[in-house]
Coordinates of all heavy atoms in Angstrom, one line a residue:
M146 N -1.0 79.3 1.0 CA -1.7 78.1 1.5 C -1.3 78.0 3.0 O 0.0 78.0 3.3 CB -1.3 76.8 0.7 CG -2.3 76.0 0.3 SD -1.5 74.7 -0.5 CE -2.7 73.9 -1.3
S147 N -2.2 77.7 3.8 CA -1.9 77.5 5.2 C -1.4 76.2 5.5 O -1.4 75.2 4.7 CB -3.2 77.7 6.0 OG -4.1 76.7 5.8
A148 N -0.8 76.0 6.7 CA -0.1 74.8 7.0 C -1.2 73.7 7.1 O -0.9 72.5 6.8 CB 0.6 74.9 8.3
G149 N -2.3 74.0 7.6 CA -3.4 73.0 7.8 C -3.8 72.5 6.4 O -4.1 71.2 6.2
S150 N -3.9 73.3 5.5 CA -4.3 73.0 4.1 C -3.3 72.1 3.4 O -3.7 71.1 2.7 CB -4.5 74.2 3.3 OG -5.4 75.1 3.8
K151 N -2.0 72.4 3.7 CA -1.0 71.6 3.1 C -0.9 70.2 3.8 O -0.8 69.1 3.1 CB 0.3 72.2 3.3 CG 0.6 73.4 2.5 CD 1.9 74.1 2.8 CE 2.1 75.5 2.0 NZ 3.4 76.0 2.2
A152 N -1.2 70.1 4.9 CA -1.3 68.8 5.8 C -2.5 67.9 5.2 O -2.3 66.7 4.9 CB -1.4 69.1 7.2
V153 N -3.6 68.6 5.0 CA -4.7 67.8 4.5 C -4.5 67.4 3.0 O -4.8 66.2 2.7 CB -6.0 68.7 4.6 CG1 -7.2 68.1 3.8 CG2 -6.4 69.0 6.0
L154 N -3.9 68.2 2.2 CA -3.5 67.9 0.9 C -2.5 66.7 0.9 O -2.7 65.8 0.1 CB -2.9 69.2 0.1 CG -2.5 68.8 -1.3 CD1 -3.8 68.4 -2.2 CD2 -1.9 70.1 -1.9
G155 N -1.5 66.8 1.7 CA -0.5 65.7 1.8 C -1.2 64.4 2.3 O -0.9 63.3 1.7
V156 N -2.0 64.5 3.3 CA -2.6 63.2 3.7 C -3.5 62.6 2.6 O -3.5 61.4 2.4 CB -3.4 63.5 5.1 CG1 -4.3 62.3 5.5 CG2 -2.5 63.8 6.2
T157 N -4.3 63.5 2.0 CA -5.2 63.1 1.0 C -4.4 62.4 -0.2 O -4.7 61.4 -0.7 CB -6.1 64.2 0.3 OG1 -6.7 64.9 1.5 CG2 -7.0 63.8 -0.7
L158 N -3.3 63.1 -0.6 CA -2.4 62.6 -1.6 C -1.9 61.2 -1.3 O -1.9 60.3 -2.1 CB -1.4 63.6 -2.0 CG -0.3 63.2 -3.0 CD1 -1.0 63.0 -4.3 CD2 0.8 64.2 -3.2
L159 N -1.4 61.1 0.0 CA -0.8 59.8 0.4 C -1.9 58.7 0.4 O -1.7 57.6 0.0 CB -0.2 59.9 1.7 CG 1.1 60.6 1.9 CD1 1.5 60.8 3.3 CD2 2.1 59.9 1.0
L160 N -3.1 59.0 0.9 CA -4.2 58.0 0.9 C -4.6 57.6 -0.5 O -4.8 56.4 -0.8 CB -5.4 58.6 1.7 CG -5.2 58.7 3.2 CD1 -6.5 59.4 3.8 CD2 -5.1 57.4 3.8
S161 N -4.7 58.6 -1.4 CA -5.0 58.3 -2.8 C -3.9 57.4 -3.4 O -4.2 56.3 -4.1 CB -5.1 59.6 -3.6 OG -6.2 60.4 -3.1
V162 N -2.7 57.7 -3.3 CA -1.6 56.9 -3.9 C -1.6 55.6 -3.2 O -1.5 54.4 -3.9 CB -0.2 57.5 -3.6 CG1 1.0 56.6 -4.0 CG2 -0.2 58.8 -4.6
G163 N -1.8 55.5 -1.9 CA -1.9 54.2 -1.1 C -3.0 53.3 -1.7 O -2.9 52.1 -1.9
T164 N -4.2 53.9 -1.9 CA -5.3 53.2 -2.5 C -5.1 52.6 -3.8 O -5.4 51.5 -4.1 CB -6.5 54.2 -2.5 OG1 -6.8 54.6 -1.3 CG2 -7.8 53.3 -3.0
V165 N -4.5 53.5 -4.7 CA -4.2 53.0 -6.1 C -3.2 51.9 -6.0 O -3.3 50.9 -6.8 CB -3.6 54.2 -6.9 CG1 -3.0 53.7 -8.3 CG2 -4.7 55.2 -7.2
V166 N -2.1 52.0 -5.2 CA -1.2 50.9 -5.1 C -1.7 49.6 -4.6 O -1.5 48.5 -5.1 CB 0.1 51.4 -4.2 CG1 1.0 50.1 -3.9 CG2 0.8 52.4 -5.0
A167 N -2.6 49.8 -3.6 CA -3.2 48.6 -2.9 C -4.1 47.9 -4.0 O -4.1 46.6 -4.1 CB -4.0 49.0 -1.7
V168 N -4.9 48.7 -4.7 CA -5.8 48.0 -5.8 C -4.9 47.3 -6.9 O -5.3 46.2 -7.3 CB -6.7 49.2 -6.4 CG1 -7.4 48.6 -7.6 CG2 -7.7 49.6 -5.4
H169 N -3.9 48.0 -7.3 CA -2.9 47.4 -8.2 C -2.4 46.0 -7.7 O -2.4 45.0 -8.5 CB -1.8 48.4 -8.6 CG -0.8 47.9 -9.6 ND1 -1.2 47.6 -10.9 CD2 0.4 47.5 -9.4 CE1 -0.2 47.1 -11.4 NE2 0.9 47.0 -10.6
L170 N -2.0 46.0 -6.5 CA -1.4 44.8 -5.9 C -2.4 43.7 -5.9 O -2.2 42.5 -6.1 CB -0.7 45.1 -4.6 CG 0.5 46.0 -4.6 CD1 1.0 46.2 -3.2 CD2 1.7 45.2 -5.3
Q171 N -3.6 44.1 -5.4 CA -4.7 43.1 -5.3 C -5.1 42.5 -6.7 O -5.3 41.3 -6.8 CB -5.9 43.8 -4.7 CG -7.1 42.9 -4.6 CD -6.9 41.8 -3.5 OE1 -6.2 42.1 -2.5 NE2 -7.4 40.5 -3.8
Q172 N -5.1 43.4 -7.7 CA -5.4 42.8 -9.1 C -4.2 41.9 -9.5 O -4.6 40.9 -10.3 CB -5.4 44.1 -10.1 CG -6.7 44.8 -10.0 CD -6.7 46.1 -11.0 OE1 -5.7 46.5 -11.4 NE2 -7.9 46.6 -11.2
Q173 N -3.0 42.2 -9.2 CA -1.9 41.3 -9.6 C -2.0 40.0 -8.9 O -1.9 38.9 -9.5 CB -0.6 41.9 -9.2 CG -0.1 42.9 -10.2 CD 1.3 43.4 -9.7 OE1 1.6 43.4 -8.6 NE2 2.1 43.8 -10.7
R174 N -2.4 39.9 -7.5 CA -2.7 38.8 -6.9 C -3.9 37.9 -7.5 O -3.8 36.7 -7.6 CB -3.0 39.0 -5.3 CG -1.6 39.1 -4.6 CD -2.0 39.5 -3.2 NE -2.3 40.9 -3.2 CZ -2.4 41.6 -2.1 NH1 -2.4 41.1 -0.9 NH2 -2.6 42.9 -2.2
D175 N -4.9 38.7 -7.8 CA -6.0 38.0 -8.5 C -5.7 37.3 -9.8 O -6.1 36.2 -10.0 CB -7.1 39.0 -8.6 CG -7.9 39.5 -7.3 OD1 -7.7 38.7 -6.3 OD2 -8.6 40.5 -7.4
R176 N -4.9 38.0 -10.6 CA -4.5 37.5 -11.9 C -3.7 36.3 -11.6 O -3.8 35.3 -12.4 CB -3.8 38.5 -12.7 CG -4.6 39.4 -13.5 CD -3.9 40.2 -14.5 NE -4.2 41.7 -14.2 CZ -3.4 42.6 -13.7 NH1 -2.1 42.2 -13.4 NH2 -3.7 43.7 -13.4
E177 N -2.7 36.4 -10.7 CA -1.8 35.2 -10.4 C -2.7 33.9 -9.9 O -2.5 32.9 -10.3 CB -0.9 35.6 -9.3 CG 0.2 34.5 -9.0 CD 1.2 35.0 -8.0 OE1 1.7 36.2 -8.2 OE2 1.5 34.3 -7.2
R178 N -3.7 34.2 -9.1 CA -4.6 33.1 -8.6 C -5.3 32.5 -9.7 O -5.5 31.2 -9.8 CB -5.6 33.6 -7.5 CG -5.0 33.5 -6.2 CD -6.1 33.7 -5.1 NE -5.6 34.8 -4.2 CZ -6.2 35.9 -4.1 NH1 -7.3 36.1 -4.7 NH2 -5.7 36.8 -3.4
L179 N -5.8 33.4 -10.7 CA -6.5 32.8 -11.9 C -5.5 32.0 -12.6 O -6.0 30.9 -13.1 CB -7.0 33.9 -12.8 CG -8.3 34.6 -12.1 CD1 -8.6 35.9 -13.0 CD2 -9.5 33.9 -12.0
R180 N -4.3 32.5 -12.9 CA -3.4 31.6 -13.7 C -3.1 30.3 -13.0 O -3.1 29.2 -13.6 CB -2.1 32.3 -13.8 CG -2.1 33.3 -15.0 CD -0.6 33.8 -15.3 NE -0.9 35.2 -15.7 CZ -0.5 36.3 -15.0 NH1 0.1 36.1 -13.8 NH2 -0.7 37.5 -15.5
E181 N -2.9 30.3 -11.6 CA -2.7 29.1 -10.9 C -3.9 28.2 -11.0 O -3.7 26.9 -11.1 CB -2.4 29.4 -9.5 CG -1.1 30.1 -9.2 CD -0.9 30.6 -7.8 OE1 -1.8 30.4 -7.0 OE2 0.3 31.1 -7.5
G182 N -5.1 28.7 -11.0 CA -6.3 27.9 -11.1 C -6.3 27.1 -12.5 O -6.7 26.1 -12.6
V183 N -5.9 27.9 -13.5 CA -5.9 27.3 -14.9 C -4.8 26.1 -15.0 O -5.0 25.1 -15.4 CB -5.5 28.4 -16.0 CG1 -5.3 27.7 -17.3 CG2 -6.8 29.3 -16.1
L184 N -3.7 26.5 -14.3 CA -2.6 25.4 -14.3 C -3.1 24.1 -13.5 O -2.9 23.0 -13.8 CB -1.3 26.0 -13.7 CG -0.6 27.0 -14.5 CD1 0.6 27.6 -13.8 CD2 -0.3 26.5 -15.8
R185 N -3.8 24.4 -12.3 CA -4.3 23.3 -11.6 C -5.3 22.5 -12.4 O -5.4 21.2 -12.3 CB -4.9 23.8 -10.3 CG -3.9 24.1 -9.2 CD -4.6 24.3 -7.8 NE -5.7 25.2 -7.9 CZ -5.6 26.6 -7.6 NH1 -4.4 27.1 -7.2 NH2 -6.7 27.3 -7.7
D186 N -6.2 23.2 -13.1 CA -7.1 22.5 -13.9 C -6.5 21.6 -15.0 O -6.9 20.5 -15.2 CB -8.1 23.5 -14.6 CG -9.1 24.1 -13.5 OD1 -9.2 23.5 -12.5 OD2 -9.8 25.1 -13.9
L187 N -5.4 22.2 -15.6 CA -4.7 21.4 -16.7 C -4.1 20.2 -16.1 O -4.1 19.2 -16.7 CB -3.7 22.3 -17.4 CG -4.3 23.5 -18.3 CD1 -3.1 24.4 -18.8 CD2 -5.0 22.9 -19.4
E188 N -3.4 20.4 -14.9 CA -2.9 19.2 -14.2 C -3.9 18.2 -13.8 O -3.7 17.0 -14.1 CB -2.1 19.7 -13.0 CG -1.5 18.6 -12.1 CD -0.4 17.8 -12.9 OE1 0.3 18.4 -13.8 OE2 -0.2 16.7 -12.6
R189 N -5.0 18.6 -13.3 CA -6.1 17.7 -13.0 C -6.6 17.0 -14.3 O -6.9 15.8 -14.1 CB -7.3 18.6 -12.3 CG -8.3 17.7 -11.7 CD -9.4 18.6 -11.0 NE -8.9 19.4 -10.0 CZ -9.0 20.9 -10.1 NH1 -9.8 21.3 -10.9 NH2 -8.5 21.6 -9.1
Q190 N -6.7 17.7 -15.3 CA -7.2 17.0 -16.5 C -6.2 16.0 -17.1 O -6.5 14.9 -17.5 CB -7.4 18.1 -17.6 CG -8.7 18.9 -17.4 CD -8.9 19.9 -18.5 OE1 -8.1 20.1 -19.3 NE2 -9.9 20.7 -18.5
S191 N -4.9 16.4 -16.9 CA -3.8 15.4 -17.3 C -3.8 14.2 -16.4 O -3.8 13.0 -16.9 CB -2.5 16.1 -17.1 OG -1.4 15.2 -17.4
R192 N -4.0 14.4 -15.1 CA -4.1 13.2 -14.2 C -5.4 12.4 -14.5 O -5.3 11.1 -14.5 CB -4.2 13.6 -12.7 CG -2.8 14.1 -12.2 CD -2.8 14.2 -10.7 NE -4.0 14.9 -10.2 CZ -4.1 16.1 -9.8 NH1 -3.0 16.9 -10.0 NH2 -5.2 16.7 -9.4
K193 N -6.4 13.0 -14.8 CA -7.6 12.3 -15.2 C -7.5 11.4 -16.5 O -7.8 10.3 -16.4 CB -8.8 13.2 -15.3 CG -10.1 12.6 -15.6 CD -11.2 13.6 -15.8 CE -12.6 12.9 -16.0 NZ -13.6 13.8 -16.2
Q194 N -6.8 12.0 -17.5 CA -6.5 11.3 -18.7 C -5.6 10.0 -18.4 O -5.8 9.0 -19.0 CB -5.9 12.2 -19.8 CG -6.9 13.2 -20.3 CD -8.0 12.5 -21.0 OE1 -7.8 11.5 -21.7 NE2 -9.2 13.1 -20.8
E195 N -4.6 10.3 -17.5 CA -3.7 9.2 -17.2 C -4.4 8.1 -16.4 O -4.2 6.9 -16.6 CB -2.6 9.7 -16.3 CG -1.6 8.7 -15.9 CD -0.7 8.1 -17.0 OE1 -0.9 8.6 -18.2 OE2 -0.2 7.0 -16.8
N196 N -5.4 8.5 -15.5 CA -6.1 7.5 -14.9 C -7.0 6.7 -15.7 O -7.1 5.5 -15.5 CB -6.9 8.1 -13.7 CG -6.0 8.6 -12.6 OD1 -5.0 8.2 -12.3 ND2 -6.6 9.6 -11.7
I197 N -7.6 7.4 -16.7 CA -8.5 6.7 -17.6 C -7.6 5.7 -18.4 O -8.1 4.5 -18.7 CB -9.2 7.8 -18.5 CG1 -10.3 8.4 -17.7 CG2 -9.8 6.9 -19.7 CD1 -11.0 9.6 -18.5
R198 N -6.5 6.1 -18.9 CA -5.6 5.1 -19.7 C -5.2 3.9 -18.8 O -5.3 2.8 -19.3 CB -4.4 6.0 -20.1 CG -3.5 5.2 -21.1 CD -2.1 5.7 -21.4 NE -1.3 5.9 -20.1 CZ -0.7 4.8 -19.5 NH1 -0.8 3.7 -20.1 NH2 0.0 5.1 -18.4
L199 N -4.8 4.2 -17.6 CA -4.5 3.1 -16.7 C -5.7 2.2 -16.5 O -5.5 1.0 -16.4 CB -4.0 3.7 -15.4 CG -2.6 4.3 -15.3 CD1 -2.3 5.0 -14.0 CD2 -1.5 3.4 -15.8
L200 N -6.9 2.8 -16.3 CA -8.0 2.0 -16.1 C -8.3 1.0 -17.3 O -8.7 -0.1 -17.3 CB -9.3 2.8 -15.8 CG -10.6 2.1 -15.6 CD1 -10.6 1.1 -14.4 CD2 -11.7 3.1 -15.5
E201 N -8.2 1.6 -18.6 CA -8.4 0.9 -19.8 C -7.3 -0.2 -19.9 O -7.7 -1.4 -20.3 CB -8.3 1.9 -21.0 CG -9.5 2.9 -21.1 CD -9.3 3.9 -22.1 OE1 -8.2 4.1 -22.7 OE2 -10.3 4.5 -22.4
D202 N -6.2 0.0 -19.5 CA -5.1 -0.9 -19.5 C -5.5 -2.1 -18.6 O -5.3 -3.3 -18.8 CB -3.7 -0.3 -19.1 CG -3.1 0.5 -20.3 OD1 -3.6 0.5 -21.3 OD2 -2.1 1.2 -19.9
Q203 N -5.9 -1.7 -17.4 CA -6.4 -2.8 -16.4 C -7.5 -3.6 -16.9 O -7.5 -4.8 -16.7 CB -6.7 -2.1 -15.1 CG -5.6 -1.6 -14.3 CD -4.7 -2.8 -13.7 OE1 -4.0 -3.3 -14.5 NE2 -5.0 -3.1 -12.6
I204 N -8.4 -2.9 -17.6 CA -9.5 -3.7 -18.2 C -9.0 -4.7 -19.2 O -9.5 -5.8 -19.2 CB -10.6 -2.7 -18.8 CG1 -11.3 -1.9 -17.6 CG2 -11.6 -3.4 -19.6 CD1 -12.2 -0.8 -18.2
I205 N -8.1 -4.3 -20.0 CA -7.6 -5.2 -21.1 C -6.8 -6.3 -20.4 O -7.0 -7.5 -20.8 CB -6.7 -4.4 -22.0 CG1 -7.5 -3.4 -22.9 CG2 -5.9 -5.3 -22.9 CD1 -6.7 -2.5 -23.6
L206 N -6.1 -6.0 -19.4 CA -5.3 -7.1 -18.7 C -6.2 -8.0 -18.0 O -6.0 -9.3 -18.0 CB -4.4 -6.4 -17.7 CG -3.2 -5.7 -18.3 CD1 -2.3 -5.0 -17.2 CD2 -2.2 -6.7 -19.0
T207 N -7.3 -7.5 -17.4 CA -8.3 -8.4 -16.7 C -8.9 -9.3 -17.8 O -9.1 -10.5 -17.4 CB -9.3 -7.5 -16.1 OG1 -8.6 -6.7 -15.1 CG2 -10.3 -8.4 -15.4
K208 N -9.3 -8.8 -19.0 CA -9.9 -9.6 -20.0 C -8.9 -10.8 -20.4 O -9.3 -11.9 -20.6 CB -10.3 -8.8 -21.1 CG -11.6 -7.9 -20.8 CD -12.0 -7.1 -22.0 CE -13.3 -6.3 -21.6 NZ -13.6 -5.4 -22.8
H209 N -7.7 -10.4 -20.6 CA -6.7 -11.4 -21.0 C -6.5 -12.5 -19.9 O -6.4 -13.6 -20.2 CB -5.3 -10.7 -21.3 CG -5.3 -10.0 -22.5 ND1 -5.3 -10.5 -23.8 CD2 -5.1 -8.6 -22.8 CE1 -5.3 -9.6 -24.7 NE2 -5.2 -8.4 -24.1
L210 N -6.4 -12.0 -18.6 CA -6.3 -13.0 -17.5 C -7.5 -13.9 -17.5 O -7.3 -15.1 -17.3 CB -6.1 -12.2 -16.2 CG -6.1 -13.0 -15.0 CD1 -4.8 -13.8 -15.0 CD2 -6.1 -12.1 -13.7
E211 N -8.7 -13.3 -17.6 CA -9.9 -14.2 -17.5 C -9.9 -15.1 -18.7 O -10.2 -16.3 -18.5 CB -11.2 -13.3 -17.5 CG -11.3 -12.5 -16.3 CD -12.5 -11.6 -16.3 OE1 -13.0 -11.3 -17.4 OE2 -12.9 -11.1 -15.3
A212 N -9.6 -14.7 -19.9 CA -9.5 -15.6 -21.1 C -8.5 -16.7 -20.8 O -8.7 -17.9 -21.2 CB -9.1 -14.8 -22.4
E213 N -7.4 -16.3 -20.3 CA -6.2 -17.3 -20.0 C -6.8 -18.4 -19.0 O -6.6 -19.6 -19.2 CB -5.0 -16.7 -19.5 CG -3.9 -17.6 -19.3 CD -3.3 -18.3 -20.5 OE1 -3.5 -17.8 -21.6 OE2 -2.9 -19.4 -20.4
R214 N -7.4 -17.8 -18.0 CA -8.0 -18.8 -17.0 C -9.0 -19.8 -17.5 O -9.0 -20.8 -17.2 CB -8.5 -17.9 -15.8 CG -8.9 -18.7 -14.6 CD -9.3 -17.8 -13.5 NE -10.0 -16.6 -14.0 CZ -10.5 -15.7 -13.2 NH1 -10.4 -15.7 -11.9 NH2 -11.0 -14.6 -13.7
D215 N -9.9 -19.2 -18.3 CA -10.9 -19.9 -19.0 C -10.3 -21.1 -19.9 O -10.8 -22.2 -19.9 CB -11.9 -19.2 -19.8 CG -12.8 -18.2 -18.9 OD1 -12.8 -18.4 -17.7 OD2 -13.3 -17.3 -19.4
R216 N -9.2 -20.6 -20.6 CA -8.5 -21.6 -21.4 C -7.8 -22.7 -20.7 O -8.0 -23.9 -21.0 CB -7.4 -20.9 -22.3 CG -7.5 -21.1 -23.7 CD -6.5 -20.4 -24.6 NE -6.7 -19.0 -24.5 CZ -5.8 -18.0 -24.1 NH1 -4.6 -18.4 -23.9 NH2 -6.1 -16.7 -24.2
Q217 N -7.3 -22.3 -19.6 CA -6.7 -23.4 -18.7 C -7.8 -24.2 -18.1 O -7.5 -25.5 -17.9 CB -5.8 -22.7 -17.6 CG -4.5 -22.1 -18.2 CD -3.8 -21.4 -17.1 OE1 -4.2 -21.3 -15.9 NE2 -2.6 -20.8 -17.4
A218 N -8.8 -23.6 -17.7 CA -9.9 -24.5 -17.1 C -10.5 -25.5 -18.2 O -10.7 -26.7 -17.9 CB -11.0 -23.6 -16.6
L219 N -10.6 -25.1 -19.4 CA -11.0 -25.9 -20.5 C -10.0 -27.0 -20.7 O -10.3 -28.2 -21.1 CB -11.3 -25.2 -21.7 CG -12.6 -24.2 -21.8 CD1 -12.7 -23.4 -23.0 CD2 -13.9 -25.1 -21.6
D220 N -8.7 -26.7 -20.7 CA -7.7 -27.6 -21.0 C -7.6 -28.6 -19.9 O -7.4 -29.9 -20.1 CB -6.4 -26.9 -21.1 CG -6.1 -26.0 -22.3 OD1 -7.1 -26.3 -23.3 OD2 -5.3 -25.2 -22.5
R221 N -7.8 -28.2 -18.7 CA -7.7 -29.2 -17.6 C -9.1 -30.0 -17.4 O -9.0 -31.1 -17.0 CB -7.5 -28.3 -16.3 CG -6.2 -28.1 -15.9 CD -6.0 -27.5 -14.5 NE -5.5 -26.1 -14.8 CZ -6.0 -25.1 -14.0 NH1 -6.8 -25.3 -13.0 NH2 -5.6 -23.9 -14.3
G222 N -10.1 -29.5 -17.8 CA -11.3 -30.2 -17.7 C -11.4 -31.5 -18.3 O -11.7 -32.5 -17.6
P223 N -11.2 -31.8 -19.6 CA -11.2 -33.0 -20.2 C -10.1 -34.0 -19.6 O -10.2 -35.2 -19.6 CB -11.0 -32.8 -21.7 CG -11.2 -31.4 -21.9 CD -11.1 -30.7 -20.6
Q224 N -9.0 -33.4 -19.3 CA -7.8 -34.3 -18.9 C -8.2 -34.9 -17.4 O -7.7 -36.1 -17.2 CB -6.6 -33.4 -18.7 CG -6.0 -33.1 -20.0 CD -4.8 -32.0 -19.8 OE1 -4.4 -31.7 -18.7 NE2 -4.3 -31.6 -20.9
Q225 N -8.9 -34.2 -16.6 CA -9.2 -34.7 -15.3 C -10.3 -35.8 -15.4 O -10.4 -36.7 -14.6 CB -9.7 -33.7 -14.3 CG -8.5 -32.7 -14.0 CD -9.0 -31.6 -13.2 OE1 -10.2 -31.4 -13.0 NE2 -8.1 -30.8 -12.5
S226 N -11.1 -35.9 -16.4 CA -12.1 -36.8 -16.5 C -11.7 -38.2 -16.8 O -10.8 -38.6 -17.3 CB -13.1 -36.4 -17.7 OG -13.7 -35.1 -17.3

């Protein structure tokens, strides 16, 4: 084998190995990003459920407050007359 052939073979081998390694690393990054996306979605769903629970609590408290205010208004109404 001539020196030129060996050089071409070596360069080709290095480029092939480099390409395989680059593709492997890119796939790992893609998989990691996908996992992070799933975790972000789960966190977002958790926050959404918590917000819904807080909103329901606020609605209940508002109804209690309005009922108490109405009761007080009814109690004060006849006394002031």
